[in-house]
Structures are given as C-alpha cells and as structure tokens.
Amino acid sequence: MTRKYLSIIAISLTTLIFASCSKDDIEPNGGGEDPDPDPDTEFTIPSYADDYSSIASWSNRNQWNLANVHDPSVAYYNGYYYMYGTDASYGNEAMGHGHFQGKRSTDLVNWEWVGGPFYDAPTWVADSLNSIRSRMGLDAIAEENISYGYWAPVVRRVNVGGQEVLRMYYSIVIDNYIKTGAVNTSSNFDNSWTERAFIGMCESSDPAGAVWEDKGFVTCSSSDLGLDYSRSSLSDWSGYFYYNAIDPTYIVAPDGNHYLIHGSWHSGFALLQVDATTGKPVNELGNPWANSVSELTSRYGVRIGTRTNGSRWQGSEAPEIIYKDGYYYLFMAYDGLDVPYNTRVVRSENIEGPYYDITGRNFTNGNGDCYPIVTHPYKFNLSNGWVGIAHCCIFQEEDTDDWFYMSQGRLPANAGGNAYANAIMMGHVRRIVWCPASVNEPDNLWPIALPERYAGVPDYGTITQDSLVGTWEHINLSYKYAQQDGATSLTLKADGTMSGALTGNWSYDESKKQLTLGNVIVCVEREVDWEASPRRVTLVYAGTEKNLNATYWGKKSK
C-alpha cells in the first residue's frame, strides 16, 4: 500500500467568519502610490482562522468553508465550482457520513458543504476483488472483513449524449494482505503485500442534491511480477504492484480523445485511454498481472513518467494534467504528505510524452528530480506558515484565461500550542502565474502558484513601478526535505538597486507585470496578506529561472 495514506491521521476544522473590507482598510499598491480606487468598491477579506479545531465537529460542517480539504478536485457545473476530495477530517469527524464529500462555491472564496456520491462501498468492489483472488488461486475475503479506504477523486464536466454531467473517477483501496486476506496490521503480517486499489467511476447531473449514478469498475492496481506477491519483511519497499491505481486525473485532449492518468509511488504514472461515452478503458485489460513490464503496460497503460527510473518506491504521486497553448502540463506531488509534500510540473507536446522539466530533464525516463517548484513548505514572518502543500488540482476560472491551483495545506506540528496541528487540513486556492524560464526566453512560460491564497481582490488599476519600491518578505523556495523555507527581508530601492535577501539591480515591465530581480523574472499580482493583523491587500510575486532549481516568492510588507 502506498505510504501516502499510511500517515493520514485524524483532522481538524476552522472558524470561518468573514469581515467586510472597505477602501479605508486597503493599501491597493502595497504601501506605494495610492491611486484612489473606486470608493464604491468593497469586498470581503476572509477572516477565518487557519486552526479550525474549534468548529471541527460534524454538526458545524456548514461553517467549515475550506476546512477539512484533502486532495481536492474542482469542476464548474451549473453556476458552481464543485470540489471533492479524499475522506479525511480532523478527529475523523466526517466518518460515517458518506464518502468523497465536497464543497461548492460561486467565487472560489466562500464554500459550502455538499454530500458525496455514496455512503457504502459499491458492491462491485468486493465482487471484483474476490473475482481476481479466485483467478489467483486465493480464498475470497468476506465483505465484512474488507478494509476500505476512499481516496483522491477527480471530477470533470463532460458531455455525454448531449447532456453535460459531472464525471468522477474515484479510488477505493483494499487494506488487507494478499496471502491470507487479513487486515493490514503488523501482528497480521503474512509475508505478502497488501491488496490492490480500484478506480471506479460515477456521474451526476444533480451534484447539489448528491445524486450520483455509479458506473463501476474502471481499472485496478496491476503487477508485472506474475503471482509473486511475497514480501520479505515490513521494511521491504520493493513493491509488488507496478501501477498503483489511485490518484486519477482525467483530460479530454484537443483531438477529442479521453485519457485517465493515475499512479502513486510504486513505478510511476499510467496513461489509459477511455471511451468518451462510457468512461471505461478502450482496450480489454485482462488479468491485473503479467510476467513482464511490456506485457502489462500493453494492457494497463503506457508509463508516462517516474521520479526515479528502476525504483518501485519512487516518491512521486498525485498526477494532475491540463492542456494549454500546445503543451500538456503534468503536475505531481513529491514526498510524504505530512510535512515535506511539494509540487512540481513537467510538460510535453504529446499526451504520451516524453515529459520534460524546465531544465530539459526527461521525467518520462526518470532522469532525476524535476523543476520548477510550484509549491513547497514555507513560512512568512508573523505566522506558523504551512507544510504538506501538494496533491493539487489545476483548473481554469469559467469564461476567463485565469488558472488556479488548489490543494490542502497543513499547519506545522504544535502550531499555536495545538499538539495535533499537523492534522489541520485547510483548502488552499491560489492563482497561477505563467512566468518566463529565463530573461532570454520571454515566451517560454511555466506555471507557478502565488505565495498567498486567493481572496478575490478587485482590480485596483495598474501596478506601477513606484508601488514596488519598499520592503518585501522574500522566500527562496528551494527543495529542503521536510523543512519550511523561511522569509528574509528584501528592499527594492527607488534607484533600481536592491539589498538584503538579493543584491544587484531590479527593473519592472508594467505592461506584463513582470519584475526582474537580477536574472530572475517574477510575476507581480495583488493578493491578501493573510499573516497581517488585520489582513490587508498587498503585492506579491512568484517566478523562477530555469537554472535556479528554486522559485522566488515574495510579499510586500512596507
């Protein structure tokens, strides 16, 4: 079983109150010039607490807003953005109340709870499991003894027979040992690997009413090792399965073909073509085992990427794919989910790859860690910061060219004196900026998430060069395993020089909202300073350079 969810622990919620913010409360240009925004413009700055444990109980779910979010997926349908995620909640408060519960929003800031597609595991899961076990020469596992896990759905709006519906692919994991069928505990260990995961599919034309029609089996975890499911010890991480059937993502390609991509740890990500109407695999899968990689992948999908070639326990998972301007962008999570979780992105001109990172590394062939860093554990001053920021969904705002990143963020352990703070899972919605790979490649754009969460800040007009002058909190967002990247002071001076975290010269292209810091171009936007008290509007930046192996994040403080 993937280590991703072996560490899921009980989870917590936050006080979600909102305060109106008027012109007098706002510094539209982060403390620079004051262009006098429209005096009639008012908007709501979120004022909910990041530690939501005080309203964690199930009875308070209508106050949760973005509390209790894990592995989200978002799709727009009938005027709302619908979001669904993994079964996880602080204190396990959501247990027993249905699976893949969701939220919906009209503005990406205020979210209300909605029910999920079902309360009990669909009967096809146990039936499929025991059918496979029978073909393997194994005894059936009584349905009441099957240990289920409900993980990481993906949801998309699709047209089926002339009707638009929400289509959801979901993961159900079986946490029993293969050999004996016993529940996965150390005392039950029987020198075999744990059972497989399944991906199923359901559809809805009434997600607000939580009315879904289950369509059944799509695929499952599969092995290239035949029937050799033996495991030498609990410290053996060689892995029986080649593909782990969790963390699906789904895309309709420009040519109209539909594809499912999935995978977690084990050997990498599988690309499986599915029928546009049924949502099921185009080709016959057959038994979920084979005696070679080539035999397996000819049926269960082409491998399009892996973090480490040859490893059956490579630390990447949670693929998410979009298509933009001639490229398929494939986002993924690195490392364990509690603290070190971070997001990377690669791209390809073809759905099957090869996928390359910003430096030209070949992710399809597993040629090392990929860049850029899209998110990473971080800490601005005056705050606890966030960790575990990955397993994202990427979506476009309806009728705009704006793209968004959404994932959970966890508080560090013992934040605010809460011993269980790392089980706090707050949904983070962030705008994506598309930044040049270098000063010599202005059109080679890569997606980076902004450092502050989205709050729907109105357009207060042009961000001018004068407004950038002042003091910033600068983060060199670089890969440090299980550590937060901290902020240091950066001063941008009116004479075009800078001091503190960076030295040298800076310049600004007002029309593109691109700030050049030395040889790194970052994109500038307005967002809310969530760490300020009270929260206020400020300027932020994000960007990278192809040889930096890091991302620059910044927030104006003075």
Side-chain angles (χ1 to χ4, degrees):
M1 195 68 65
T2 174
R3 77 186 281 274
K4 170 178 180 178
Y5 291 102
L6 295 179
S7 64
I8 280 190
I9 51 181
I11 309 164
S12 156
L13 284 162
T14 162
T15 250
L16 302 166
I17 311 164
F18 291 82
S20 181
C21 180
S22 67
K23 172 178 178 285
D24 295 336
D25 301 317
I26 299 170
E27 294 180 83
N29 283 284
E33 64 176 6
D34 186 353
D36 189 22
D38 181 353
D40 296 326
T41 299
E42 292 188 2
F43 82 109
T44 297
I45 290 183
S47 62
Y48 54 81
D50 291 333
D51 182 343
Y52 55 76
S53 53
S54 64
I55 58 164
S57 68
W58 177 251
S59 62
N60 288 323
R61 65 189 178 281
N62 289 327
Q63 301 178 53
W64 287 359
N65 199 295
L66 282 173
N68 278 344
V69 168
H70 202 278
D71 307 335
S73 183
V74 175
Y76 186 83
Y77 187 76
N78 280 357
Y80 288 89
Y81 296 91
Y82 283 87
M83 181 273 291
Y84 299 90
T86 288
D87 281 17
S89 58
Y90 185 84
N92 289 326
E93 285 288 330
M95 287 186 65
H97 298 287
H99 301 295
F100 307 122
Q101 298 160 24
K103 304 175 192 295
R104 69 174 188 172
S105 173
T106 57
D107 60 8
L108 303 177
V109 178
N110 305 295
W111 296 77
E112 61 181 0
W113 179 89
V114 293
F118 45 75
Y119 275 77
D120 300 309
T123 56
W124 68 259
V125 180
D127 292 343
S128 297
L129 171 69
N130 284 323
S131 176
I132 292 169
R133 289 180 63 85
S134 175
R135 301 197 302 273
M136 295 175 69
L138 297 166
D139 292 336
I141 306 175
E143 189 165 357
E144 63 270 19
N145 294 331
I146 296 175
S147 178
Y148 296 101
Y150 301 85
W151 298 348
V154 62
V155 62
R156 298 283 191 262
R157 185 181 69 203
V158 296
N159 191 297
V160 180
Q163 180 182 15
E164 287 201 328
V165 300
L166 283 188
R167 176 175 287 176
M168 177 192 292
Y169 290 93
Y170 55 85
S171 305
I172 296 185
V173 178
I174 308 301
D175 202 15
N176 298 67
Y177 287 111
I178 296 175
K179 183 178 180 180
T180 62
V183 174
N184 176 14
T185 66
S186 58
S187 61
N188 285 340
F189 180 60
D190 62 5
N191 290 105
S192 73
W193 290 91
T194 49
E195 263 292 1
R196 68 198 66 242
F198 291 88
I199 292 176
M201 192 268 282
C202 57
E203 292 176 345
S204 177
S205 58
D206 182 16
V211 179
W212 292 79
E213 181 181 359
D214 192 71
K215 302 290 186 175
F217 174 91
V218 176
T219 189
C220 67
S221 300
S222 53
S223 177
D224 62 326
L225 299 179
L227 298 181
D228 183 10
Y229 46 78
S230 61
R231 186 182 186 190
S232 61
S233 69
L234 289 172
S235 59
D236 173 10
W237 294 107
S238 59
Y240 170 59
F241 295 112
Y242 188 82
Y243 287 144
N244 188 17
I246 71 166
D247 295 355
T249 185
Y250 175 43
I251 188 170
V252 180
D255 61 7
N257 288 325
H258 291 227
Y259 296 93
L260 189 71
I261 298 172
H262 67 273
S264 171
W265 295 67
H266 295 268
S267 297
F269 301 151
L271 173 73
L272 187 65
Q273 187 175 352
V274 296
D275 181 84
T277 301
T278 67
K280 302 297 184 70
V282 170
N283 296 322
E284 184 72 26
L285 296 181
N287 285 326
W289 66 83
N291 292 316
S292 68
V293 170
S294 60
E295 181 191 347
L296 180 75
T297 58
S298 67
R299 294 184 283 114
Y300 274 79
V302 176
R303 188 175 77 169
I304 61 169
T306 180
R307 182 175 179 181
T308 308
N309 194 29
S311 172
R312 301 184 75 89
W313 204 241
Q314 49 83 44
S316 67
E317 62 182 7
E320 170 74 336
I321 193 166
I322 64 168
Y323 181 83
K324 183 180 187 297
D325 298 336
Y327 288 102
Y328 295 92
Y329 288 87
L330 181 64
F331 297 77
M332 73 200 84
Y334 272 14
D335 304 326
L337 62 84
D338 52 350
V339 174
Y341 233 19
N342 61 102
T343 309
R344 310 298 177 97
V345 63
V346 292
R347 74 185 185 188
S348 173
E349 293 178 345
N350 300 299
I351 187 72
E352 292 189 1
Y355 286 83
Y356 295 98
D357 82 343
I358 196 171
T359 72
R361 291 183 184 92
N362 189 324
F363 172 69
T364 297
N365 292 340
N367 289 344
D369 283 1
C370 293
Y371 292 88
I373 294 172
V374 181
T375 64
H376 187 276
Y378 74 98
K379 181 183 183 302
F380 280 120
N381 299 329
L382 306 178
S383 74
N384 295 301
W386 293 95
V387 299
I389 314 165
H391 195 134
C392 69
C393 65
I394 307 294
F395 62 95
Q396 193 170 6
E397 187 177 23
E398 192 73 2
D399 299 324
T400 76
D401 293 325
D402 294 331
W403 289 84
F404 288 81
Y405 169 108
M406 187 177 188
S407 75
Q408 69 278 352
R410 291 174 179 255
L411 291 175
N414 300 308
N418 181 353
Y420 305 103
N422 193 230
I424 294 285
M425 298 180 299
M426 177 64 72
H428 286 199
V429 179
R430 299 169 186 270
R431 280 191 291 171
I432 286 176
V433 288
W434 297 84
C435 299
S438 73
V439 293
N440 298 318
E441 301 170 273
D443 299 321
N444 182 9
L445 304 180
W446 287 79
I448 305 290
L450 288 176
E452 291 285 15
R453 288 168 280 167
Y454 179 70
V457 176
D459 181 1
Y460 288 110
T462 301
I463 298 174
T464 65
Q465 179 163 319
D466 288 345
S467 70
L468 305 183
V469 174
T471 303
W472 296 71
E473 291 185 40
H474 174 82
I475 297 178
N476 184 27
L477 205 67
S478 60
Y479 183 47
K480 301 180 184 68
Y481 184 83
Q483 296 182 46
Q484 291 174 284
D485 288 315
T488 54
S489 180
L490 170 66
T491 300
L492 300 185
K493 301 177 183 179
D495 65 1
T497 63
M498 53 187 178
S499 62
L502 302 171
T503 58
N505 298 316
W506 68 275
S507 60
Y508 180 59
D509 185 327
E510 186 176 284
S511 63
K512 295 182 177 180
K513 295 190 288 186
Q514 291 180 354
L515 166 65
T516 302
L517 303 172
N519 68 335
V520 178
I521 298 175
V522 298
C523 299
V524 182
E525 295 289 350
R526 289 188 182 90
E527 275 299 353
V528 163
D529 184 342
W530 290 71
E531 291 76 35
S533 183
R535 292 168 178 164
R536 63 185 181 88
V537 175
T538 190
L539 298 176
V540 298
Y541 62 68
T544 190
E545 200 278 334
K546 67 180 183 180
N547 297 309
L548 188 64
N549 284 353
T551 290
Y552 281 177
W553 271 3
K555 174 182 69 176
K556 193 173 186 191
S557 54
K558 294 182 183 177

